[in-house]
Amino acid sequence: KNETLKPIIKSNSDAVKLKVDGKLKVYYFDVGQADAIVIENNGNYMLIDAGNNADGKNLVDYFKRMGIKKFDRVIATHAHEDHIGGMDDILNNFEVAHFYMPDVVTTTKTFEDVITALEDNNVELEIPKAGGVFILGSCKFEVLHVGNEDDDLNDSSIVVRGLFGDNSFLFTGDATGKVEETLLDENIDSDVLKVGHHGSKYSSTDEFLAAVTPEYAIISV
Protein backbone atom coordinates (compact mmCIF):
# COMPACT_ATOMS: atom_id res chain seq x y z
CA LYS A 1 0.00 0.00 0.00
CA ASN A 2 1.12 3.55 -0.72
CA GLU A 3 2.44 4.91 2.56
CA THR A 4 1.56 8.47 1.52
CA LEU A 5 -2.12 7.52 1.79
CA LYS A 6 -1.85 6.65 5.46
CA PRO A 7 -4.08 8.90 7.58
CA ILE A 8 -2.58 11.66 9.68
CA ILE A 9 -3.33 10.24 13.11
CA LYS A 10 -1.50 11.72 16.07
CA SER A 11 -2.01 11.36 19.79
CA ASN A 12 -1.52 15.04 20.63
CA SER A 13 -3.97 17.26 18.79
CA ASP A 14 -2.10 20.41 19.86
CA ALA A 15 0.80 19.26 17.69
CA VAL A 16 -1.28 19.86 14.56
CA LYS A 17 -1.55 23.55 13.68
CA LEU A 18 -3.30 24.51 10.46
CA LYS A 19 -3.49 27.74 8.50
CA VAL A 20 -7.08 28.32 7.44
CA ASP A 21 -7.48 28.24 3.67
CA GLY A 22 -10.69 28.74 1.71
CA LYS A 23 -14.13 28.06 3.13
CA LEU A 24 -15.50 25.10 5.04
CA LYS A 25 -18.90 23.83 3.91
CA VAL A 26 -20.91 21.39 6.02
CA TYR A 27 -24.03 19.78 4.51
CA TYR A 28 -26.56 17.99 6.73
CA PHE A 29 -28.77 15.92 4.43
CA ASP A 30 -32.46 15.21 4.98
CA VAL A 31 -32.47 11.42 5.15
CA GLY A 32 -35.27 11.16 7.69
CA GLN A 33 -34.52 9.19 10.85
CA ALA A 34 -30.92 8.71 9.79
CA ASP A 35 -27.65 10.61 9.34
CA ALA A 36 -25.70 11.77 6.28
CA ILE A 37 -23.25 14.67 6.46
CA VAL A 38 -20.77 15.97 3.87
CA ILE A 39 -17.89 18.30 4.73
CA GLU A 40 -15.86 20.11 2.07
CA ASN A 41 -12.80 22.35 2.07
CA ASN A 42 -10.89 23.30 -1.06
CA GLY A 43 -12.13 20.34 -3.07
CA ASN A 44 -11.46 17.83 -0.30
CA TYR A 45 -14.57 15.90 0.74
CA MET A 46 -15.49 13.93 3.83
CA LEU A 47 -18.63 11.89 4.50
CA ILE A 48 -20.07 11.04 7.91
CA ASP A 49 -22.67 8.25 7.59
CA ALA A 50 -24.84 7.47 4.58
CA GLY A 51 -28.47 7.19 5.64
CA ASN A 52 -30.70 4.13 5.35
CA ASN A 53 -30.46 1.48 2.65
CA ALA A 54 -33.12 3.27 0.62
CA ASP A 55 -31.11 6.52 0.68
CA GLY A 56 -28.03 5.13 -1.05
CA LYS A 57 -28.99 5.76 -4.68
CA ASN A 58 -30.35 9.26 -3.99
CA LEU A 59 -27.19 10.22 -2.10
CA VAL A 60 -24.99 8.92 -4.92
CA ASP A 61 -26.96 10.88 -7.51
CA TYR A 62 -26.87 14.07 -5.45
CA PHE A 63 -23.17 13.77 -4.63
CA LYS A 64 -22.39 13.34 -8.33
CA ARG A 65 -24.39 16.48 -9.11
CA MET A 66 -22.27 18.25 -6.49
CA GLY A 67 -19.26 17.26 -8.55
CA ILE A 68 -17.84 14.83 -5.99
CA LYS A 69 -15.62 12.11 -7.43
CA LYS A 70 -13.60 11.16 -4.38
CA PHE A 71 -14.05 11.16 -0.61
CA ASP A 72 -10.77 11.71 1.22
CA ARG A 73 -12.33 10.57 4.50
CA VAL A 74 -15.45 8.51 5.20
CA ILE A 75 -16.69 7.82 8.72
CA ALA A 76 -19.28 5.15 9.42
CA THR A 77 -20.01 6.19 12.99
CA HIS A 78 -21.49 2.82 13.95
CA ALA A 79 -23.10 -0.22 12.36
CA HIS A 80 -26.81 0.63 12.55
CA GLU A 81 -28.72 0.61 9.26
CA ASP A 82 -29.75 4.26 9.52
CA HIS A 83 -26.08 5.25 9.46
CA ILE A 84 -24.44 2.73 7.11
CA GLY A 85 -27.42 1.75 4.94
CA GLY A 86 -26.23 3.64 1.88
CA MET A 87 -22.52 3.14 2.52
CA ASP A 88 -22.13 0.26 0.06
CA ASP A 89 -23.51 2.51 -2.68
CA ILE A 90 -20.95 5.17 -1.77
CA LEU A 91 -18.08 2.69 -1.87
CA ASN A 92 -19.24 1.30 -5.20
CA ASN A 93 -19.52 4.72 -6.87
CA PHE A 94 -16.76 6.93 -5.43
CA GLU A 95 -13.07 6.62 -4.73
CA VAL A 96 -12.55 6.45 -0.96
CA ALA A 97 -9.06 7.12 0.41
CA HIS A 98 -9.76 6.41 4.10
CA PHE A 99 -12.71 4.58 5.62
CA TYR A 100 -13.21 4.63 9.40
CA MET A 101 -15.53 2.42 11.46
CA PRO A 102 -15.53 1.10 15.05
CA ASP A 103 -14.17 -2.38 15.75
CA VAL A 104 -17.60 -3.95 16.16
CA VAL A 105 -18.93 -6.82 14.03
CA THR A 106 -22.64 -7.46 13.48
CA THR A 107 -24.46 -10.12 11.49
CA THR A 108 -26.90 -7.87 9.65
CA LYS A 109 -27.04 -7.93 5.86
CA THR A 110 -26.50 -4.17 5.83
CA PHE A 111 -23.18 -4.57 7.66
CA GLU A 112 -22.17 -7.48 5.43
CA ASP A 113 -22.95 -5.38 2.34
CA VAL A 114 -20.57 -2.68 3.56
CA ILE A 115 -17.79 -5.21 4.21
CA THR A 116 -18.33 -6.72 0.76
CA ALA A 117 -18.17 -3.27 -0.85
CA LEU A 118 -14.93 -2.52 1.00
CA GLU A 119 -13.40 -5.75 -0.28
CA ASP A 120 -14.70 -5.31 -3.83
CA ASN A 121 -13.23 -1.82 -4.05
CA ASN A 122 -9.98 -2.61 -2.23
CA VAL A 123 -10.67 -0.07 0.52
CA GLU A 124 -9.04 -0.72 3.88
CA LEU A 125 -11.20 -0.55 7.01
CA GLU A 126 -9.37 1.68 9.49
CA ILE A 127 -10.25 1.80 13.20
CA PRO A 128 -9.44 5.20 14.71
CA LYS A 129 -8.55 5.68 18.36
CA ALA A 130 -9.67 8.35 20.78
CA GLY A 131 -7.03 11.06 20.96
CA GLY A 132 -6.18 10.77 17.29
CA VAL A 133 -6.28 13.61 14.77
CA PHE A 134 -6.81 13.65 11.04
CA ILE A 135 -6.88 16.39 8.45
CA LEU A 136 -9.25 17.41 5.66
CA GLY A 137 -7.81 20.28 3.65
CA SER A 138 -7.16 22.89 6.35
CA CYS A 139 -9.74 21.49 8.77
CA LYS A 140 -8.56 19.46 11.76
CA PHE A 141 -10.68 16.66 13.23
CA GLU A 142 -10.12 15.37 16.75
CA VAL A 143 -11.30 11.84 17.51
CA LEU A 144 -12.96 12.08 20.93
CA HIS A 145 -14.51 8.63 21.27
CA VAL A 146 -14.54 5.24 19.57
CA GLY A 147 -16.31 2.41 21.36
CA ASN A 148 -16.47 -1.35 20.95
CA GLU A 149 -19.86 -1.94 22.55
CA ASP A 150 -21.33 -5.10 21.02
CA ASP A 151 -24.41 -4.90 23.24
CA ASP A 152 -25.12 -1.23 22.44
CA LEU A 153 -23.91 -0.18 19.01
CA ASN A 154 -24.93 3.42 19.69
CA ASP A 155 -22.20 3.71 22.30
CA SER A 156 -19.62 2.41 19.84
CA SER A 157 -20.18 5.61 17.82
CA ILE A 158 -17.17 7.51 16.53
CA VAL A 159 -17.39 11.05 17.90
CA VAL A 160 -15.29 13.74 16.21
CA ARG A 161 -14.84 17.49 16.65
CA GLY A 162 -13.94 19.56 13.60
CA LEU A 163 -11.89 22.75 13.96
CA PHE A 164 -11.65 25.33 11.20
CA GLY A 165 -10.15 28.61 12.28
CA ASP A 166 -12.39 29.95 15.06
CA ASN A 167 -15.28 27.65 14.14
CA SER A 168 -15.93 24.23 15.67
CA PHE A 169 -18.35 21.42 14.88
CA LEU A 170 -19.21 18.37 16.99
CA PHE A 171 -20.40 15.16 15.31
CA THR A 172 -21.76 12.61 17.78
CA GLY A 173 -23.31 9.72 15.84
CA ASP A 174 -25.79 8.05 18.19
CA ALA A 175 -23.66 8.32 21.33
CA THR A 176 -25.83 8.24 24.45
CA GLY A 177 -25.54 9.99 27.79
CA LYS A 178 -23.14 7.26 28.93
CA VAL A 179 -20.60 8.35 26.33
CA GLU A 180 -21.39 12.03 26.82
CA GLU A 181 -20.35 11.70 30.46
CA THR A 182 -16.92 10.40 29.43
CA LEU A 183 -16.47 13.40 27.14
CA LEU A 184 -16.96 16.03 29.86
CA ASP A 185 -13.23 16.04 30.61
CA GLU A 186 -12.47 16.88 26.95
CA ASN A 187 -12.69 20.24 25.21
CA ILE A 188 -16.04 19.77 23.49
CA ASP A 189 -17.06 23.43 23.27
CA SER A 190 -18.49 23.77 19.75
CA ASP A 191 -20.39 26.28 17.64
CA VAL A 192 -22.49 23.62 15.91
CA LEU A 193 -23.70 20.35 17.46
CA LYS A 194 -25.04 17.40 15.50
CA VAL A 195 -27.41 16.26 18.24
CA GLY A 196 -26.84 12.66 19.33
CA HIS A 197 -29.25 9.84 18.56
CA HIS A 198 -31.69 12.00 16.54
CA GLY A 199 -32.61 14.08 19.57
CA SER A 200 -33.86 11.14 21.62
CA LYS A 201 -34.08 11.05 25.41
CA TYR A 202 -30.99 8.81 25.55
CA SER A 203 -28.63 11.64 24.57
CA SER A 204 -28.09 15.36 25.15
CA THR A 205 -27.79 15.41 28.94
CA ASP A 206 -27.89 18.80 30.63
CA GLU A 207 -24.24 18.50 31.64
CA PHE A 208 -23.17 17.66 28.10
CA LEU A 209 -25.08 20.54 26.51
CA ALA A 210 -23.70 22.94 29.11
CA ALA A 211 -20.17 21.87 28.15
CA VAL A 212 -20.75 22.07 24.38
CA THR A 213 -22.62 25.43 24.49
CA PRO A 214 -23.63 25.23 20.81
CA GLU A 215 -24.92 28.24 18.95
CA TYR A 216 -26.67 25.93 16.48
CA ALA A 217 -27.90 22.36 16.82
CA ILE A 218 -28.91 19.96 14.04
CA ILE A 219 -31.38 17.13 14.71
CA SER A 220 -31.81 14.60 11.91
CA VAL A 221 -35.30 13.04 12.08
Side-chain angles (χ1 to χ4, degrees):
K1 294 184 181 296
N2 187 341
E3 290 300 318
T4 63
L5 291 181
K6 290 295 183 182
I8 302 173
I9 297 288
K10 299 184 179 182
S11 59
N12 183 1
S13 65
D14 292 333
V16 182
K17 302 294 184 182
L18 295 177
K19 179 181 178 181
V20 170
D21 185 25
K23 295 181 178 180
L24 184 74
K25 298 179 181 179
V26 183
Y27 303 83
Y28 299 84
F29 287 89
D30 181 1
V31 285
Q33 188 85 4
D35 276 9
I37 301 164
V38 166
I39 303 163
E40 185 267 334
N41 173 236
N42 285 346
N44 301 288
Y45 289 92
M46 172 172 158
L47 174 68
I48 301 178
D49 292 332
N52 290 292
N53 283 306
D55 298 311
K57 183 180 183 302
N58 288 336
L59 288 174
V60 167
D61 291 345
Y62 197 90
F63 294 164
K64 287 183 176 180
R65 292 201 299 273
M66 291 175 65
I68 300 175
K69 297 180 180 178
K70 172 186 177 180
F71 285 103
D72 299 272
R73 313 276 178 184
V74 172
I75 295 178
T77 59
H78 62 294
H80 277 153
E81 189 264 344
D82 58 333
H83 291 257
I84 63 168
M87 202 61 82
D88 54 333
D89 294 292
I90 301 302
L91 289 162
N92 290 329
N93 285 276
F94 300 94
E95 180 183 351
V96 174
H98 298 287
F99 184 92
Y100 306 114
M101 193 158 60
D103 187 17
V104 178
V105 176
T106 71
T107 58
T108 65
K109 185 179 185 304
T110 297
F111 179 81
E112 292 173 355
D113 287 344
V114 174
I115 298 302
T116 298
L118 287 168
E119 294 172 348
D120 289 347
N121 294 284
N122 196 29
V123 176
E124 181 181 359
L125 193 163
E126 303 176 43
I127 302 167
K129 293 183 178 180
V133 172
F134 61 86
I135 306 301
L136 181 81
S138 59
C139 186
K140 178 175 74 171
F141 288 87
E142 302 170 340
V143 182
L144 301 180
H145 178 267
V146 185
N148 56 359
E149 305 290 336
D150 291 308
D151 55 344
D152 189 345
L153 293 178
N154 291 326
D155 283 342
S156 72
S157 291
I158 297 173
V159 177
V160 296
R161 180 171 177 255
L163 301 169
F164 185 76
D166 294 329
N167 298 122
S168 50
F169 298 76
L170 189 59
F171 305 95
T172 58
D174 276 357
T176 70
K178 175 183 174 182
V179 172
E180 291 175 351
E181 184 177 1
T182 70
L183 297 176
L184 295 178
D185 292 332
E186 306 287 341
N187 181 5
I188 54 177
D189 182 66
S190 301
D191 300 311
V192 184
L193 169 66
K194 201 294 295 186
V195 175
H197 206 187
H198 316 285
S200 79
K201 65 181 181 180
Y202 301 106
S203 302
S204 305
T205 62
D206 290 344
E207 294 81 5
F208 180 74
L209 294 178
V212 179
T213 65
E215 185 173 354
Y216 300 97
I218 309 294
I219 299 178
S220 187
V221 291

